[in-house]
Amino acid sequence: MEHKGGSRRKGDGVPKENSPFINNTEHDKNNSYDGTNMALFEEEMDSHPMVSSLLNKLANYTNLTQGAHEHEEADEEEGSKKKAVKSPQMGTFMGVYLPCLQNILGVILFLRLTWIVGTAGILESLGIVGLCCTCTMLTAISMSAIATNGVVPAGGSYYMISRSLGPEFGGAVGLCFYLGTTFAGAMYILGTIEILLTYIVPQAAIFKAERKEEEVDALFNNMRVYGTCCLILMAIVVFVGVKYVNKLALVFLACVILSILAIYAGVIKSIFEPPDFPVCMLGNRTLQNHGFDKCLKTEVIDNLTVTTKLWSAFCDGPELNATCNEYFANNNLTLVQGIPGLTSGVISENMWSEYGPLGMMVENKKLSSFGGSDPTKDIYLPYIVNDITTFFTLLVGIYFPSVTGIMAGSNRSGDLRDAQKSIPVGTILAIATTSFIYISSVILFGACIEGVLLRDKFGDSVKGNLVIGTLSWPSPWVIVIGSFFSCCGAGLQSLTGAPRLLQAIARDGIVPFLQVFGHGKANGEPTWALLLTAGICEIGILIASLDAVAPILSMFFLMCYLFVNLACAVQTLLRTPNWRPRFKYYHWTLSFLGMSLCLAIMFISSWYYAIVAMVIAGCIYKYIEYRGAEKEWGDGIRGLSLNAARYALIRLEDAPPHTKNWRPQVLVLLNLDSDQGVKHPRLLSLTTQLKAGKGLTIVGNVLQGTYLIKEAEAKKAEQNIKSAMSAERTKGFCHVVVSSNLRDGVSHLIQSAGLGGMKHNTVLMSWPGTWRQASDPLSWKNFIETVRETTAAHQALLVAKNVDSFPTNQDRLGEGTIDVWWVVHDGGLLMLLPFLLRQHKVWRKCKMRIFTVAQMDDNSIQMKKDLQMFLYHLRLDAEVEVVEMHDNDISAFTYEKTLVMEQRSQMLKQMHLSRTEREREIQSITDESRSSIRRKNQGATENSTVSRQSSTAEDNQEDEAQLIHDKNTASHVALNDKAEAGPEQVHMTWTKEKLFSERNRNREPNANVAVRDLFNMKPEWESLNQSNVRRMHTAVKLNEVVVNKSQGAHLVLLNMPGPPKNRGGDENYMEFLEVLLEGLNRVLLVRGGGREVITIYS
């Protein structure tokens, strides 16, 4: 409901519902509540009014009424100076039934129905009428359900659809309905001019045809000139005063009803005394009865045989010996009664169709005909011929506009005493009445009128009388005048209604380029909208043919009806809690059938117009979706999205994604400054480049404090993050958490962000650049704890160093490289990231290089071959380089150890260390508690412990306490449970021979002694410091190599070493990382999530 106390608020972008009742307490502020009965609620009286005052307001609430007093107050004063609006008093009969009747009955009934019956035959005409009437009846049922589901504001169909299907569909349908109404205006004006120039004053034509073949062009040019004049005249009338149009509406309706009664009277009279309208036939061909009085070739006057005017038309001259047309000479002239009457039995001849091409002569097959001249030349003689090619589907398109107009009642919903009761009853009764009129007319026309006269579109064979007029009683003029006024009235109604509809759409603010049409005169008359409407109408008038304009407006109305049915079906199927229509006689199957019928008729009547109409509606839909103002109208499509999302989420929950489907679902941890502005927007750019719009992105932030105090700040932070996300084109969700400290907040985000199967598996954060500063003492602690938590949660971690120097989405990096330093294998994320980045325009031109580290006793040439093979199987294009680091240079990182080693959980494998390293590593393990846990768990001899620690493939027992392995010391070996391990992963560079030689070497007595010594040692801080020295040594050496090779790279990806087990060494850890990354510009530290994310299998 977009009303507040009776007036519409102008295109407000507020995404909430503007309810006139809740939170609307202007009147209640002063009367504080004194009673003691409700003391418990007194503090909330401001925002939650008492039920008594709510009901009082409800009773006084009125809609803006439509029509003459629609926009009484000026736009500027809207709301401030409200005039008392008369309470609407129209009942069902006056408010819905008659307007619908007037809109449905119209130009097609008078000008084309006889021709449709003659061409299609009674049976197929009944089919056409039945199809179209069924379609509108089903639509009316759906519309009744929507119209009785809550108060429908003035604005009718547009409001109903937009509020139940959302702004995109609402706008598309609203504009379709608008175009339909506008073209209907053009069709009525063309009908008016056709009646005027063909039947009332034919001599007023400006363009006159010299020859018969020019007649059609002359008629069209006359239509264009007169139609344009008529349009200008009507537009002025509408501009000057809508009041007059509404007052005249009843007069026009009276004309229509009188005309229909005259037809029925004429049918009844034709039983006893058929009217005398003879049709002159030459052979079996029908002649145009314009230039002659007598249906004779010659006549005897004063005993002289004289040729008639008809003779002159077919012969060279009036002489009896003149050369005559062959067919004229061979065939006799006969007079056939045009209206033989209801009881004449002509109905049997009119049962079947008589379709034909353009230029086919209208013939009576019963009469004899003797072959004659060339029919292609004969069409220029005064015969009656088809002016267009006729076929069933064309007639459906031409006939359909005569059943439109069913929305007239709902468009006046503001004026009704009880809209919820009147709209269904009035509309359905009106459709039933008009359907009866159409069906009876089809049968009666077929039973009363001769076939050749029915197929004579403009009544040329009966001296240019309106064919339907010849049947009516007391005089043809009743119908001619009646239909003229009804067309005028309908045209005026269309020109009044269409601009209002456009104004309503413009004021809703959903289509930005239409904003200008929301303005109007001081009293709210839509001036600009009227100008546009007249312009579009003029297009229809320039087409000039009623038969060509009718299918166009059929399309637009059918689109509109299709969406009404869709709205009802969607709401019913979704069982939205708010879907409680008063009108109970609807069902989703009926709506669905109506929708299918609309679609079918669209394609039946003209498939190319149907496609154009759908493209127009689709473009408007996408445009509103892309540009339109954010609106929340509680529409059904949102409900549909919710249902689909819920279903998909439940399906996703079933199993973790397969490696092939794995993609980084990112939780971005953003930092905000003191004003809640985003500190590192480049982090969002990186996310966009990594995701290319696919997968899940959650942007999280933690505010310190309590939610009750910080709620406003949290809202502001969320707004800022959302605007930063839209600026960086990051598609995803924003999640701001208020927590007593940052540490817990981040922990909560890592644990609980996401929903069901849509959870993040990767955390992206920036490197805490200020960790050394005294002003930010906690940042490094929080950082390290976050690293530990992502590891515990089996999530991958990406840390961007120097994130502000990363490229924006507008940058395009030239030729360059993305360097991957693959030191330990933790699931292959390191390989996947450059591939994903290179999908984005920013990184597209970059080449990928992979570096790996070899030691003295490794065969680096073989390693390079193996690695190239591995990449070939992974289908990744990259240069491979093996960097040799001598044995005394590197302590913890080795290629063999890492390629097979898995960090945690399912894929965890044993590390492979050479003997010298193992001895060196063992001495650095000083964490005694860790050893004791091992001893307890194993409950076996030291020897068995050693063998278990050194074995690679035999036993897989999980060491529960230590799942996280530290990549710097690479010593805390943990083995996975066999049950969880899944199939063994085969890695390229490990061979069986190597495996056995390693294992045997590790089982030598030296190693055993060393391990025994280890278990007897006490933790000594000196040795810890010693290990720090060695770690620093590693960091410096590795940094030298990386800087040497990758200083010029656009981006360096590097395995991130894990934090130490004993928390005393956390500051040192930060120092190691700083040293490791020194001298590198853009670095992305990657820590895998402990599962394979890239596979060689298809």
Side-chain angles (χ1 to χ4, degrees):
M1 215 178 293
E2 289 278 313
H3 287 238
K4 194 158 223 180
S7 86
R8 259 193 33 71
R9 304 211 345 204
K10 188 173 171 186
D12 55 357
V14 185
K16 276 200 266 186
E17 210 175 15
N18 297 324
S19 168
F21 314 125
I22 299 170
N23 299 328
N24 184 8
T25 49
E26 291 93 359
H27 314 298
D28 307 341
K29 285 277 188 277
N30 306 328
N31 33 338
S32 59
Y33 196 74
D34 298 327
T36 50
N37 291 344
M38 292 293 161
L40 195 56
F41 296 95
E42 62 192 6
E43 286 190 356
E44 294 186 321
M45 284 296 168
D46 277 354
S47 58
H48 301 60
M50 288 293 301
V51 173
S52 53
S53 63
L54 166 74
L55 293 174
N56 184 26
K57 267 188 215 155
L58 253 172
N60 297 332
Y61 174 68
T62 58
N63 274 316
L64 225 187
T65 53
Q66 170 149 355
H69 40 255
E70 183 172 359
H71 298 288
E72 291 293 333
E73 65 269 358
D75 274 355
E76 296 77 40
E77 300 159 359
E78 209 174 3
S80 52
K81 299 182 189 168
K82 281 214 188 59
K83 298 185 183 173
V85 182
K86 281 191 307 188
S87 62
Q89 284 306 318
M90 285 176 123
T92 308
F93 186 74
M94 286 296 286
V96 182
Y97 181 73
L98 290 181
C100 280
L101 216 58
Q102 182 193 354
N103 273 275
I104 296 172
L105 298 170
V107 58
I108 301 289
L109 170 66
F110 299 123
L111 293 185
R112 291 290 180 270
L113 194 59
T114 50
W115 172 73
I116 288 175
V117 173
T119 309
I122 294 174
L123 292 178
E124 287 185 29
S125 301
L126 285 175
I128 293 173
V129 173
L131 190 69
C132 298
C133 290
T134 311
C135 179
T136 50
M137 181 60 92
L138 291 171
T139 306
I141 291 171
S142 299
M143 187 191 76
S144 303
I146 297 174
T148 57
N149 186 44
V151 183
V152 177
S157 56
Y158 163 66
Y159 276 98
M160 287 191 315
I161 297 165
S162 63
R163 296 315 183 264
S164 56
L165 278 184
E168 292 93 349
F169 277 116
V173 176
L175 286 171
C176 276
F177 193 52
Y178 164 72
L179 288 170
T181 313
T182 308
F183 273 109
M187 184 185 77
Y188 288 127
I189 290 172
L190 288 174
T192 309
I193 303 305
E194 188 177 301
I195 293 166
L196 184 74
L197 290 183
T198 316
Y199 309 114
I200 299 181
V201 276
Q203 54 274 25
I206 299 171
F207 301 90
K208 293 195 167 56
E210 296 298 322
R211 303 204 307 280
K212 184 168 184 287
E213 55 266 39
E214 294 166 4
E215 274 180 8
V216 175
D217 293 338
L219 176 68
F220 283 173
N221 286 333
N222 286 322
M223 297 278 244
R224 289 180 183 116
V225 173
Y226 276 100
T228 307
C229 299
C230 181
L231 174 65
I232 293 167
L233 203 68
M234 283 186 177
I236 290 170
V237 171
V238 172
F239 179 75
V240 170
V242 181
K243 294 198 282 288
Y244 307 116
V245 177
N246 283 351
K247 282 179 180 145
L248 287 171
L250 276 176
V251 178
F252 295 138
L253 180 61
C255 293
V256 178
I257 290 170
L258 275 175
S259 305
I260 289 169
L261 291 176
I263 295 168
Y264 282 122
V267 168
I268 293 165
K269 182 172 174 286
S270 77
I271 300 173
F272 319 110
E273 189 189 334
D276 181 34
F277 282 101
V279 178
C280 186
M281 312 284 291
L282 174 63
N284 64 0
R285 299 178 184 177
T286 320
L287 294 177
Q288 285 188 344
N289 189 350
H290 281 314
F292 61 90
D293 302 320
K294 295 174 182 166
C295 186
L296 298 166
K297 293 184 186 180
T298 55
E299 55 182 341
V300 179
I301 300 176
D302 301 334
N303 293 333
L304 286 173
T305 306
V306 190
T307 58
T308 57
K309 289 181 181 175
L310 196 54
W311 178 282
S312 308
F314 282 93
C315 304
D316 294 347
E319 303 83 23
L320 282 168
N321 59 356
T323 314
C324 285
N325 176 282
E326 193 182 338
Y327 190 85
F328 181 73
N330 290 349
N331 288 276
N332 294 325
L333 288 168
T334 38
L335 270 180
V336 174
Q337 198 53 46
I339 300 174
L342 190 61
T343 49
S344 63
V346 76
I347 187 167
S348 59
E349 295 162 29
N350 290 335
M351 274 295 174
W352 313 109
S353 58
E354 291 267 352
Y355 301 117
L358 168 72
M360 185 186 89
M361 299 192 189
V362 174
E363 299 174 343
N364 184 340
K365 294 288 189 288
K366 282 194 310 182
L367 297 176
S368 57
S369 163
F370 302 102
S373 51
D374 179 8
T376 51
K377 292 199 183 99
D378 288 352
I379 58 170
Y380 301 126
L381 292 167
Y383 295 120
I384 288 172
V385 294
N386 279 357
D387 64 337
I388 54 172
T389 305
T390 53
F391 41 91
F392 178 77
T393 55
L394 173 88
L395 298 185
V396 175
I398 291 175
Y399 172 75
F400 190 81
S402 64
V403 294
T404 59
I406 59 172
M407 300 282 188
S410 62
N411 287 351
R412 286 186 171 69
S413 53
D415 292 338
L416 301 172
R417 196 179 305 124
D418 180 1
Q420 305 213 351
K421 196 177 109 199
S422 301
I423 289 176
V425 175
T427 308
I428 289 170
L429 272 180
I431 292 177
T433 311
T434 50
S435 300
F436 170 76
I437 290 172
Y438 284 133
I439 288 168
S440 60
S441 299
V442 167
I443 295 168
L444 294 175
F445 292 164
C448 294
I449 305 176
E450 179 62 51
V452 286
L453 181 53
L454 280 175
R455 288 196 294 287
D456 176 8
K457 191 186 276 187
F458 299 110
D460 290 323
S461 60
V462 283
K463 293 198 167 17
N465 270 309
L466 180 58
V467 176
I468 198 171
T470 58
L471 179 62
S472 62
W473 177 86
S475 152
W477 285 101
V478 176
I479 292 227
V480 171
I481 302 297
S483 59
F484 177 76
F485 278 121
S486 89
C487 284
C488 272
L492 278 171
Q493 291 274 353
S494 297
L495 283 182
T496 314
R500 278 189 171 37
L501 186 60
L502 186 64
Q503 189 179 37
I505 298 170
R507 285 189 172 181
D508 257 352
I510 53 172
V511 186
F513 71 83
L514 290 181
Q515 292 303 60
V516 63
F517 299 111
H519 311 303
K521 287 198 297 191
N523 64 345
E525 286 298 318
T527 319
W528 290 106
L530 179 64
L531 278 174
L532 181 71
T533 306
I536 297 173
C537 234
E538 180 61 24
I539 296 172
I541 286 167
L542 292 178
I543 295 173
S545 162
L546 191 69
D547 304 315
V549 174
I552 297 177
L553 71 109
S554 296
M555 283 314 126
F556 290 122
F557 277 121
L558 279 163
M559 284 293 283
C560 179
Y561 296 165
L562 184 140
F563 282 121
V564 171
N565 283 308
L566 177 68
C568 181
V570 164
Q571 299 270 36
T572 313
L573 285 171
L574 283 179
R575 298 197 185 90
T576 323
N578 191 44
W579 179 247
R580 306 186 292 276
R582 270 282 153 71
F583 178 78
K584 294 292 179 218
Y585 307 101
Y586 67 93
H587 194 268
W588 67 268
T589 47
L590 293 177
S591 305
F592 201 76
L593 184 63
M595 193 173 87
S596 314
L597 263 180
C598 289
L599 199 62
I601 295 173
M602 279 173 77
F603 280 96
I604 283 173
S605 52
S606 100
W607 60 268
Y608 42 90
Y609 280 148
I611 291 170
V612 170
M614 285 176 149
V615 166
I616 290 176
C619 289
I620 298 167
Y621 179 95
K622 292 312 281 182
Y623 176 79
I624 295 173
E625 190 178 57
Y626 177 66
R627 285 291 315 276
E630 283 299 315
K631 293 283 179 183
E632 174 51 88
W633 288 327
D635 49 84
I637 292 298
R638 279 190 74 88
L640 200 58
S641 310
L642 273 171
N643 259 10
R646 184 189 63 100
Y647 175 71
L649 278 172
I650 288 171
R651 287 281 307 275
L652 269 181
E653 190 82 34
D654 293 348
H658 189 275
T659 305
K660 284 186 278 189
N661 293 334
W662 194 95
R663 62 164 72 245
Q665 317 283 14
V666 185
L667 167 65
V668 185
L669 297 177
L670 269 190
N671 292 332
L672 302 183
D673 54 27
S674 51
D675 297 333
Q676 265 70 52
V678 176
K679 256 192 200 165
H680 302 297
R682 288 293 80 75
L683 210 53
L684 293 173
S685 317
L686 178 63
T687 313
T688 307
Q689 291 154 26
L690 193 60
K691 308 290 290 178
K694 304 284 192 303
L696 172 76
T697 305
I698 302 171
V699 180
N701 173 253
V702 181
L703 292 179
Q704 203 163 348
T706 57
Y707 183 62
L708 292 176
I709 298 166
K710 294 269 185 161
E711 189 217 356
E713 266 183 61
K715 287 269 187 298
K716 184 183 171 194
E718 198 164 325
Q719 283 310 113
N720 290 349
I721 292 174
K722 278 184 177 163
S723 55
M725 284 169 74
S726 63
E728 298 296 340
R729 295 194 186 156
T730 309
K731 291 193 170 77
F733 308 100
C734 170
H735 202 110
V736 177
V737 173
V738 183
S739 173
S740 54
N741 61 44
L742 295 176
R743 180 66 240 97
D744 291 350
V746 173
S747 176
H748 296 156
L749 272 177
I750 289 172
Q751 291 173 59
S752 64
L755 178 65
M758 285 294 276
K759 281 188 82 67
H760 59 280
N761 55 26
T762 306
V763 177
L764 171 62
M765 58 195 294
S766 57
W767 174 260
T770 59
W771 71 274
R772 284 186 173 130
Q773 295 169 12
S775 61
D776 202 1
L778 286 178
S779 68
W780 60 269
K781 280 189 177 165
N782 289 343
F783 174 76
I784 294 178
E785 288 299 302
T786 306
V787 176
R788 287 192 171 113
E789 289 205 329
T790 51
T791 308
H794 302 294
Q795 290 170 4
L797 175 66
L798 309 176
V799 179
K801 178 106 193 283
N802 301 335
V803 69
D804 294 327
S805 70
F806 275 64
T808 63
N809 291 329
Q810 282 68 44
D811 295 344
R812 299 285 178 269
L813 297 178
E815 299 292 327
T817 59
I818 300 177
D819 285 2
V820 177
W821 282 83
W822 192 23
V823 186
V824 293
H825 177 66
D826 50 13
L829 182 58
L830 216 50
M831 308 289 194
L832 194 59
L833 289 175
F835 170 74
L836 293 172
L837 281 174
R838 285 176 58 209
Q839 307 293 307
H840 197 275
K841 290 177 187 148
V842 174
W843 302 91
R844 195 158 286 161
K845 290 184 179 163
C846 296
K847 295 264 186 303
M848 178 173 160
R849 292 195 300 181
I850 294 189
F851 295 92
T852 187
V853 180
Q855 284 159 237
M856 281 299 281
D857 51 358
D858 284 323
N859 180 348
S860 54
I861 296 166
Q862 183 61 37
M863 272 175 69
K864 184 167 182 175
K865 277 188 187 163
D866 289 347
L867 187 52
Q868 278 168 337
M869 192 65 183
F870 185 46
L871 289 173
Y872 173 75
H873 281 304
L874 286 176
R875 308 170 301 287
L876 293 174
D877 296 324
E879 286 177 38
V880 174
E881 199 167 325
V882 178
V883 179
E884 294 195 355
M885 291 181 86
H886 298 298
D887 208 16
N888 58 352
D889 287 345
I890 183 161
S891 56
F893 294 95
T894 86
Y895 181 71
E896 316 293 6
K897 170 177 66 188
T898 57
L899 192 60
V900 184
M901 155 86 197
E902 294 294 348
Q903 204 166 342
R904 291 174 291 285
S905 77
Q906 294 107 321
M907 310 287 182
L908 205 63
K909 300 280 181 291
Q910 170 80 327
M911 287 169 134
H912 306 295
L913 301 175
S914 67
R915 185 179 47 170
T916 49
E917 285 163 28
R918 187 176 295 280
E919 287 168 4
R920 199 179 307 133
E921 287 299 320
I922 284 164
Q923 284 158 26
S924 76
I925 300 174
T926 54
D927 188 352
E928 208 221 359
S929 63
R930 195 157 179 289
S931 315
S932 67
I933 292 172
R934 277 248 156 82
R935 249 175 271 140
K936 268 183 221 152
N937 281 358
Q938 288 157 351
T941 65
E942 285 99 351
N943 263 353
S944 71
T945 312
V946 173
S947 67
R948 186 167 294 151
Q949 214 171 335
S950 58
S951 145
T952 53
E954 288 156 348
D955 304 325
N956 277 359
Q957 279 298 327
E958 183 178 1
D959 189 298
E960 286 117 21
Q962 307 302 328
L963 274 179
I964 306 166
H965 92 94
D966 172 353
K967 290 182 195 139
N968 274 10
T969 60
S971 60
H972 311 315
V973 177
L975 295 175
N976 209 1
D977 207 301
K978 204 162 223 155
E980 288 180 19
E984 288 281 328
Q985 294 282 333
V986 178
H987 291 284
M988 304 268 163
T989 53
W990 195 256
T991 60
K992 212 175 220 173
E993 294 76 27
K994 256 189 192 169
L995 178 73
F996 285 125
S997 64
E998 273 312 308
R999 193 179 297 159
N1000 295 334
R1001 196 193 308 167
N1002 289 341
R1003 285 187 178 152
E1004 286 171 18
N1006 296 4
N1008 291 353
V1009 173
V1011 174
R1012 272 201 209 94
D1013 291 349
L1014 158 73
F1015 288 136
N1016 299 327
M1017 275 173 63
K1018 291 280 170 285
E1020 292 174 9
W1021 292 110
E1022 296 80 36
S1023 64
L1024 181 66
N1025 293 345
Q1026 188 61 38
S1027 81
N1028 281 348
V1029 170
R1030 283 200 336 282
R1031 288 179 183 185
M1032 189 56 88
H1033 181 63
T1034 307
V1036 170
K1037 281 294 180 190
L1038 195 54
N1039 175 258
E1040 271 176 25
V1041 178
V1042 175
V1043 170
N1044 178 26
K1045 296 281 186 188
S1046 302
Q1047 197 162 21
H1050 283 316
L1051 178 64
V1052 178
L1053 284 93
L1054 188 66
N1055 280 116
M1056 180 177 182
K1061 281 293 173 310
N1062 53 337
R1063 291 166 191 256
D1066 284 0
E1067 305 95 319
N1068 303 336
Y1069 172 68
M1070 296 298 282
E1071 287 290 353
F1072 298 145
L1073 286 181
E1074 281 285 8
V1075 170
L1076 184 62
L1077 305 178
E1078 209 170 343
L1080 295 169
N1081 180 18
R1082 295 180 191 135
V1083 186
L1084 197 57
L1085 287 170
V1086 180
R1087 193 164 162 71
R1091 59 160 297 168
E1092 289 293 336
V1093 300
I1094 191 164
T1095 175
I1096 63 174
Y1097 299 109
S1098 65

